Amino acid sequence: MTIMQALLLFVSGFLSGVVNAIAGGGTFLTFGAMTLGGLPPIVANATSSIIQLPGYITSALAYAKEIRADRRNAIVLGLISAVGGLAGALLLLSLSNPSFRAMVPWLLVAATAIFAAGPLLKPKARSDEHRIGPLGVASQMATSVYGGFFGAGMGIMMLAVLGLATGGGYHRLNALKNFISIVIATIAIFVFAAGGVVSWLHAAIMVPGAALGGYAGVWAARRVSQTVIRALVVAVGLLLAAYYFFTG
């Protein structure tokens, strides 16, 4: 790896942290940077999970009070999501790089569509909290399988699912989402590490960038419209999808 390539990876990690702090969607940047840099898609996808984990942890810490107050739902949903995340990660490892490569453009199109629809999927403030039912269990299981397998757009999907499954206000749902994201990402990382599909060098370069970007994103969030950032992320997602379609 050249110094220029390392610098580009660091910048991609930084920008992913900024984007995640403002509107989400940083996975598009990290996954895209690594695959365009020559990493096999499965390795890029697995390594991207590691890069996103610190952001999930800091977000959950900010909601520690809400998570403790809702520990029952957090434990139940965490167990469901651990099983789903494990299944998704194992499913990824069962594929060859060419097989996963053929799926990548379709996954990117789906994730971009979910991300673009984020404002419409955002749950409305409500107070009718309830225990999760069978439909909620099935929906969260499907979301966590997707999160362990690919992950882009997972947070938006989870907010919508949790809103239907348990009800409650936005911050309660966001707290649960952040906690569950840690569970899914941690399980997936253990599976990917055991399967030898993580590029620790790329992760070591991009994680500090993502951490700095998350801090800088707080400053940027006060000055840059979420609509502008969301449009840029959607454009990146569509460009990446087009690239994979036409180079497949």
Side-chain angles (χ1 to χ4, degrees):
M1 183 185 298
T2 66
I3 294 177
M4 184 56 68
Q5 288 173 326
L7 180 60
L8 290 173
L9 288 171
F10 180 86
V11 170
S12 297
F14 177 83
L15 292 176
S16 78
V18 172
V19 167
N20 279 336
I22 299 174
T27 301
F28 290 107
L29 299 176
T30 55
F31 177 78
M34 285 185 281
T35 54
L36 293 176
L39 271 189
I42 289 179
V43 177
N45 186 45
T47 305
S48 190
S49 298
I50 295 174
I51 297 166
Q52 305 306 318
L53 180 60
Y56 295 151
I57 293 173
T58 53
S59 297
L61 288 174
Y63 276 115
K65 181 180 178 181
E66 288 80 1
I67 294 170
R68 284 195 298 269
D70 203 11
R71 65 173 62 87
R72 180 185 178 87
N73 274 312
I75 292 171
V76 172
L77 289 165
L79 291 173
I80 294 168
S81 300
V83 173
L86 176 62
L90 290 173
L91 178 60
L92 179 67
L93 286 188
S94 72
L95 299 175
S96 64
N97 272 297
S99 297
F100 183 63
R101 171 67 174 75
M103 298 173 65
V104 165
W106 300 102
L107 288 168
L108 285 170
V109 168
T112 302
I114 293 167
F115 184 78
L120 300 176
L121 297 175
K122 183 177 179 180
K124 296 180 180 179
R126 45 191 292 191
S127 59
D128 57 330
E129 297 180 12
H130 51 271
R131 291 187 179 181
I132 186 168
L135 180 59
V137 170
S139 299
Q140 181 55 34
M141 179 66 75
T143 303
S144 57
V145 170
Y146 171 80
F149 182 76
F150 190 56
M154 175 184 69
I156 294 167
M157 291 173 61
M158 209 181 305
L159 279 175
V161 165
L162 291 174
L164 295 173
T166 69
Y170 172 75
H171 289 293
R172 172 181 182 262
L173 299 178
N174 205 31
L176 287 172
K177 183 262 293 181
N178 289 331
F179 172 74
I180 295 166
S181 295
I182 293 175
V183 173
I184 294 172
T186 301
I187 292 290
I189 288 168
F190 274 115
V191 172
F192 296 150
V197 294
V198 174
S199 173
W200 296 107
L201 175 60
H202 286 74
I205 293 171
M206 299 181 80
V207 165
L212 289 173
Y215 183 81
V218 175
W219 177 88
R222 303 176 189 275
R223 295 163 175 81
V224 182
S225 166
Q226 281 199 18
T227 302
V228 173
I229 296 297
R230 189 173 295 277
L232 290 174
V233 173
V234 168
V236 169
L238 292 176
L239 287 172
L240 282 173
Y243 170 81
Y244 289 113
F245 272 123
F246 290 116
T247 60

